[in-house]
Amino acid sequence: MTEQELMKLDMVKNLTLLLMEDNPQLSMEEALQTVFNSDTYQRLQNDATALYYQSARYVYSFLQSELLTAKVS
């Protein structure tokens, strides 16, 4: 596994934890499903964006915006 793949996995974990922290009613499975089905996740997987180098809170702000507006900003 490459360093980038590990960083992406860690980011998914952190996004899931942040989502569960902000939404205590979500189970871990629901939070993971939300992350994996998001446009933010697709952008995270794209090496050209290098989102995996950013802080989890920064990337989480994209996910929050996407969930609130149904759009990625």
Side-chain angles (χ1 to χ4, degrees):
M1 194 171 277
T2 67
E3 181 180 359
Q4 286 83 3
E5 289 170 329
L6 289 172
M7 292 172 76
K8 290 174 187 179
L9 288 174
D10 191 53
M11 183 65 74
V12 168
K13 177 194 76 162
N14 290 329
L15 292 174
T16 301
L17 292 172
L18 287 167
L19 192 57
M20 290 173 61
E21 184 179 303
D22 282 353
N23 303 284
Q25 75 281 5
L26 284 180
S27 68
M28 184 178 295
E29 292 80 15
E30 292 170 322
L32 278 168
Q33 184 178 15
T34 300
V35 172
F36 284 133
N37 291 322
S38 69
D39 288 334
T40 302
Y41 176 77
Q42 296 304 315
R43 294 172 73 188
L44 175 64
Q45 296 307 305
N46 182 350
D47 289 335
T49 66
L51 277 179
Y52 50 87
Y53 281 115
Q54 303 301 319
S55 75
R57 290 251 178 224
Y58 176 74
V59 179
Y60 185 62
S61 70
F62 288 103
L63 181 60
Q64 283 179 307
S65 176
E66 178 183 347
L67 294 174
L68 289 173
T69 64
K71 294 190 282 187
V72 178
S73 48

